[in-house]
Amino acid sequence: MLRAALAGLRAHRLRLLLTSLAIMLGVGFIAGTFVLNDTAQAGFAQQVTADADKVDVAVLPGSAGGRLPEKVLERIRALPGVTRAEGLIRGGAPVLGKDGKTVGDVPTTALSIVTGPLDRTNVVAGTGPGTDDQAAVLDENTAAAQGFRLGDTITVLDRKETAHQFRLVGLIDTGVDQTLGYTGAVGFTTDVARRMTGAKGYAEIDVAGGGPGLKAAVAAAAGGAYQVRTGAELAGDLARAAGTEIGMLTTGLLLFGVVAMLVAALVIYNTFAILVAQRTREMALLRCVGATRGQVFGSIVLESAVVGALASALGLLIGYGLAAATLAVLRAFDSPLPTNADIALTPATIASGLAVGLLVTVGAALLPARSATRVPPIAALHGQSEEPAFRAGPARGVLAAVLLLAGLGTTAAGAFVLVPGQQVSMLVVMAGGALTFLGVLVLGPVLVRPLSALVGWIPRRLFGVPGRLAVDNSGRNPKRAATTTVALTIGVTLMTLISVVTASTRLTMTAKLDEQFPIDYLLASQQRDAVIPRSVAEGLRGRPELASVTQIRQADATVAGRSMTVGTFSGPVEPYVVSGSMSGFGAGRAALEDSSAARLGVGVGDTVALRTERAGTVSLEVVALLDGDQSSLPPVTVAERSFDAYFGAVPDSLVMIGIGDGVAAERARAVVDAAVAAYPTVRVSSSTEVRGQFDEALDMLLMIITGLLGLAVLISLLGIANTLSLSVHERTRESAMLRALGLTRPQLRRMLSIEALVLGLVGALVGVVLGVVFGWAAMRAMLDGARLAVPVTSIVLLVALSGVAGVLAAVLPARRAARASIVASLAAG
């Protein structure tokens, strides 16, 4: 039986080619993901190890944002065995771009760059500042984004917002530090960094020295309030923090790999089911000459194992190539992920890829192998074997009904009963989707014939006899057709779901932005601090180009014993009142966000105590509760005159501006820019720009996910081609008889192409219906007040592409069938 199985593989090398391709693509995707992960992790380890080798012991604050005082550094320096100890300074110091405005959405982080053996700065161009107080270094990403080059003069604001100019002498790589990667970094000498940030202590103390008890001695000198790490422990902490991002990326990619392998498993199952049906006489002959059922079963399992092992090995090579190509693209686009490590297939990746491919292939072949042992040898040898006609029994209907009712009910509970935005809601919707899909899978063979008739209504009338034959053939073996189309259905369902979620998110968030910020421009600092002079808004209020100017001021105070933000507003604001009223809003009254009121345990009509340094303690009556999700006002809002009495003449924190009717946006923007030109920390944000950035992010996400899901669709199309190719082989005599009765070669090719078109459209239409339903359910579970948007154009294009791809998948099988000899085909039967 072993020799017979191997001989069968050698004799029919081409019949499993497309199945092997499905396995190769699925394994290649998973293996490529592992290779990417291993390479990035190795890159992180190289960077971290290079830094950690310079440090023997590091002292860190006991809590986030804490500082290490100067006296701790002095005590450590006095320890025997310590050859050097340096305190590192970190703090905000906004860098100004060439437009004179602060760079980024948050202040740039200022660093102290030390000299000597404890210098952990990775200078990629130029030099460090050394001892030059007029020199500075900048992270390479910020420099590239702002167009700064070595030798340029850069402007940095200190803690008092005074501008200082420095000569740019070097560019640095922020490495694995995720915070610096987000904020950007500007480096100075230690003294300059202290003056610029106003830091009263150190963010870290690095120690170099020797002796087995160095860590214990440093810990004793520092005191129990601080964390002490060896260089290796510090490296481990940094590597774990840096590896979180790549770990999340790997998990996401592996999910798409699992989808691809699920689709591949369906393709493999269908392929082996057809092959077993075609080889019924061969199996029966083996039984007649002495093979047992177990041997027949084992031969098919062996065949699947050989195919799975070879395809998985080739898939590993494909994965290596995919990873290498991805890393090349990441290098070209200056990705923050480290791409400098050598690419290698680790033993774990090789074992995982081979195991996945082998298990999926053998697992998918088990049911067809079992069915091969259930046909009596004599019955199978009698005449030409054909699969029994499909009959939908009551058990199938009951099981499908139970799964569909359970799935739809669970989905409805997650979307309409549970609280939106919570993880449990999404998990319930996902569970409901899985149950519903299983129900559709069970019901698939029943749905194929009516759906084929529906989809094939136009081809049947347009293409004459070939069209009618194709539509009849597509529903002739419902079980096989359902298994073929379900692979495509998975990919189309996920693509449609993502398209619906993306379009609905865009519509929902745009509507929420319009409700919360019915403005055209927003003036604010990076930290939303009170830095906008009142004269700015007062000057803009008189400009004819602008229809509205609203000022919001805020300050920290103690409300009912808790530290909270208190603010006021001046200008047209329509607060979203949940209860109470803002009419007559004046001295001695306050409006609270509903969430803040809940934390304080107060409601409309209650009083709260407000304590400020200027006014002492005053009593405020709560007259209104505001919707915190809709309101742009601070948690506690008081009248404008009362605010000035409590806090003094505080500058504005936010200024919201509306353009006048008929005024060009460029003209209004010029007026606003001119008003804040003298204030580098005041940034102008356009609501149009915010929406544009949001749309760009969604479009990029949609493109990436669609590309990843495209692999599953490609594998499913290979399944259609495979099924059609094997079906052509199975129907050799039938095709020859049609040719003998007058069907031309072009008509035969057209018949098979239309059959593939119908199968592709059936799978796509079922996927579209499921994708729209569960896309909407997912939106309801994710966002409160979600709005449904169905991207009709994208969905129609997706369905059309599925049909076209199905036709393309039929090109080679149809060509082969048309070229076959009529006499030889009839004789073969």
Side-chain angles (χ1 to χ4, degrees):
M1 287 303 297
L2 174 61
R3 289 195 297 271
L6 296 178
L9 285 172
R10 289 194 298 270
H12 304 283
R13 289 185 295 270
L14 295 179
R15 71 184 178 189
L16 295 173
L17 175 61
L18 294 179
T19 300
S20 302
L21 285 175
I23 304 167
M24 283 188 285
L25 289 174
V27 171
F29 190 93
I30 291 177
T33 300
F34 280 128
V35 172
L36 261 180
N37 178 70
D38 293 341
T39 304
Q41 294 287 11
F44 279 133
Q46 287 179 9
Q47 291 182 358
V48 170
T49 302
D51 288 343
D53 284 345
K54 300 178 180 180
V55 179
D56 293 306
V57 176
V59 184
L60 305 172
S63 59
R67 294 286 177 177
L68 298 162
E70 181 72 31
K71 61 183 180 181
V72 173
L73 177 60
E74 293 173 356
R75 289 200 300 263
I76 292 173
R77 281 176 172 168
L79 290 174
V82 172
T83 58
R84 194 176 184 96
E86 297 286 355
L88 305 183
I89 293 175
R90 263 195 193 200
V95 174
L96 302 188
K98 291 188 174 181
D99 60 355
K101 295 296 181 181
T102 51
V103 171
D105 295 326
V106 293
T108 310
T109 300
L111 308 171
S112 59
I113 309 296
V114 301
T115 57
L118 288 175
D119 180 11
R120 293 161 53 193
T121 308
N122 183 15
V123 179
V124 294
T127 65
T131 58
D132 186 354
D133 287 350
Q134 301 303 314
V137 296
L138 198 61
D139 73 280
E140 55 184 343
N141 293 329
T142 300
Q146 298 300 317
F148 290 128
R149 296 183 179 181
L150 294 179
D152 288 351
T153 298
I154 62 172
T155 303
V156 187
L157 303 182
D158 64 14
R159 60 190 177 91
K160 296 180 179 179
E161 297 184 2
T162 303
H164 300 266
Q165 293 186 331
F166 299 91
R167 186 177 71 261
L168 183 60
V169 298
L171 301 180
I172 63 174
D173 180 4
T174 56
V176 300
D177 194 314
Q178 302 299 303
T179 301
L180 297 184
Y182 176 64
T183 65
V186 57
F188 311 101
T189 64
T190 300
D191 290 339
V192 173
R194 184 180 290 109
R195 289 199 303 269
M196 295 296 291
T197 62
K200 301 300 183 183
Y202 300 104
E204 181 180 328
I205 295 176
D206 290 346
V207 182
L214 182 62
K215 178 182 177 182
V218 170
Y226 308 110
Q227 304 177 51
V228 179
R229 299 280 189 273
T230 64
E233 291 170 344
L234 178 64
D237 292 342
L238 292 173
R240 280 189 291 273
T244 301
E245 182 178 350
I246 188 64
M248 293 176 62
L249 176 64
T250 301
T251 302
L253 289 175
L254 285 177
L255 288 176
F256 290 100
V258 169
V259 172
M261 289 308 295
L262 174 62
V263 174
L266 291 169
V267 172
I268 296 163
Y269 165 78
N270 209 33
T271 300
F272 275 97
I274 299 171
L275 287 175
V276 167
Q278 290 177 354
R279 295 163 58 193
T280 301
R281 296 183 66 187
E282 175 188 331
M283 299 298 175
L285 181 60
L286 290 172
R287 292 285 309 284
C288 286
V289 298
T292 65
R293 287 187 175 185
Q295 288 177 316
V296 171
F297 179 87
S299 69
I300 296 176
V301 172
L302 173 63
E303 188 174 317
S304 68
V306 172
V307 172
L310 292 176
S312 299
L314 293 173
L316 289 173
L317 297 179
I318 292 175
Y320 185 90
L322 287 173
T326 303
L327 288 170
V329 172
L330 292 175
R331 291 190 192 104
F333 286 92
D334 295 326
S335 167
L337 294 178
T339 56
N340 55 320
D342 294 332
I343 306 174
L345 279 173
T346 64
T349 298
I350 294 173
S352 300
L354 290 175
V356 168
L358 194 60
L359 289 175
V360 168
T361 308
V362 173
L366 288 179
L367 285 178
R370 181 171 176 268
S371 67
T373 66
R374 302 177 68 179
V375 181
I378 301 301
L381 287 173
H382 181 70
Q384 184 172 351
S385 61
E386 293 186 4
E387 291 187 4
F390 171 77
R391 292 183 178 85
R396 181 181 293 271
V398 171
L399 178 59
V402 170
L403 289 172
L404 288 174
L405 287 174
L408 293 175
T410 304
T411 302
F416 298 98
V417 177
L418 298 177
V419 179
Q422 295 185 353
Q423 188 176 10
V424 66
S425 302
M426 280 301 301
L427 292 176
V428 169
V429 168
M430 290 172 61
L435 290 172
T436 304
F437 193 84
L438 288 176
V440 173
L441 187 63
V442 172
L443 202 60
V446 180
L447 298 175
V448 164
R449 281 177 178 160
L451 289 177
S452 297
L454 174 66
V455 171
W457 187 82
I458 295 178
R460 180 187 287 273
R461 282 155 179 77
L462 284 181
F463 298 103
V465 172
R468 292 195 294 273
L469 288 172
V471 174
D472 291 340
N473 285 336
S474 63
R476 204 163 106 187
N477 193 325
K479 197 171 181 180
R480 178 192 302 171
T483 309
T484 301
T485 57
V486 75
L488 181 61
T489 298
I490 292 175
V492 174
T493 297
L494 294 174
M495 281 190 169
T496 305
L497 186 149
I498 295 300
S499 298
V500 170
V501 167
T502 303
S504 300
T505 300
R506 181 180 287 114
L507 178 64
T508 302
M509 297 309 295
T510 299
K512 287 182 177 292
L513 283 172
D514 289 339
E515 291 173 357
Q516 294 182 37
F517 304 104
I519 56 172
D520 296 297
Y521 299 109
L522 175 70
L523 307 185
S525 68
Q526 290 174 320
Q527 302 282 59
R528 298 294 194 265
D529 295 328
V531 297
I532 309 173
R534 297 188 181 190
S535 58
V536 172
E538 293 166 358
L540 290 172
R541 191 168 280 122
R543 295 300 301 247
E545 297 88 352
L546 307 178
S548 64
V549 177
T550 302
Q551 301 162 263
I552 294 180
R553 304 179 197 113
Q554 56 191 34
D556 294 330
T558 301
V559 180
R562 297 194 180 202
S563 178
M564 302 187 72
T565 300
V566 180
T568 189
F569 64 93
S570 174
V573 173
E574 296 181 4
Y576 291 82
V577 178
V578 176
S579 61
S581 173
M582 294 289 288
S583 61
F585 192 64
R589 297 186 172 186
L592 274 63
E593 282 186 355
D594 48 4
S595 57
S596 299
R599 285 198 301 271
L600 297 176
V602 299
V604 175
D606 295 334
T607 59
V608 293
L610 169 68
R611 187 178 184 281
T612 69
E613 292 184 4
R614 181 184 181 92
T617 301
V618 295
S619 180
L620 300 176
E621 178 189 359
V622 179
V623 296
L625 299 183
L626 309 181
D627 185 350
D629 294 330
Q630 303 288 332
S631 175
S632 57
L633 295 176
V636 179
T637 301
V638 297
E640 186 177 10
R641 290 186 178 179
S642 300
F643 182 88
D644 289 344
Y646 302 151
F647 300 98
V650 175
D652 295 330
S653 300
L654 303 173
V655 176
M656 299 183 291
I657 302 167
I659 301 176
D661 293 336
V663 178
E666 296 81 4
R667 182 181 170 192
R669 178 62 183 259
V671 171
V672 175
D673 286 340
V676 297
Y679 308 102
T681 59
V682 181
R683 297 160 53 89
V684 181
S685 301
S686 166
S687 58
T688 303
E689 292 173 357
V690 172
R691 293 187 184 94
Q693 293 171 357
F694 183 73
D695 288 341
E696 286 179 7
L698 281 179
D699 291 338
M700 179 65 70
L701 182 64
L702 177 63
M703 182 178 68
I704 293 173
I705 292 177
T706 301
L708 294 173
L709 289 176
L711 177 66
V713 175
L714 175 60
I715 294 175
S716 65
L717 293 174
L718 288 175
I720 291 177
N722 207 13
T723 302
L724 201 61
S725 178
L726 293 168
S727 180
V728 165
H729 175 74
E730 190 178 60
R731 287 156 32 195
T732 300
R733 290 192 67 199
E734 177 185 318
S735 298
M737 184 67 70
L738 290 173
R739 291 284 313 285
L741 292 175
L743 198 70
T744 65
R745 285 183 175 180
Q747 286 178 320
L748 181 61
R749 287 196 296 267
R750 195 176 307 132
M751 179 191 76
L752 294 173
S753 298
I754 294 171
E755 184 178 342
L757 170 68
V758 170
L759 288 176
L761 291 178
V762 167
L765 288 178
V766 175
V768 164
V769 172
L770 291 175
V772 170
V773 170
F774 289 100
W776 173 228
M779 281 300 302
R780 292 276 309 184
M782 285 191 300
L783 291 175
D784 187 19
R787 303 189 181 192
L788 175 64
V790 180
V792 177
T793 303
S794 299
I795 291 177
V796 170
L797 181 62
L798 180 60
V799 173
L801 288 176
S802 299
V804 171
V807 172
L808 292 177
V811 169
L812 291 180
R815 185 168 177 266
R816 179 184 175 189
R819 294 178 63 182
S821 167
I822 297 176
V823 175
S825 298
L826 288 172

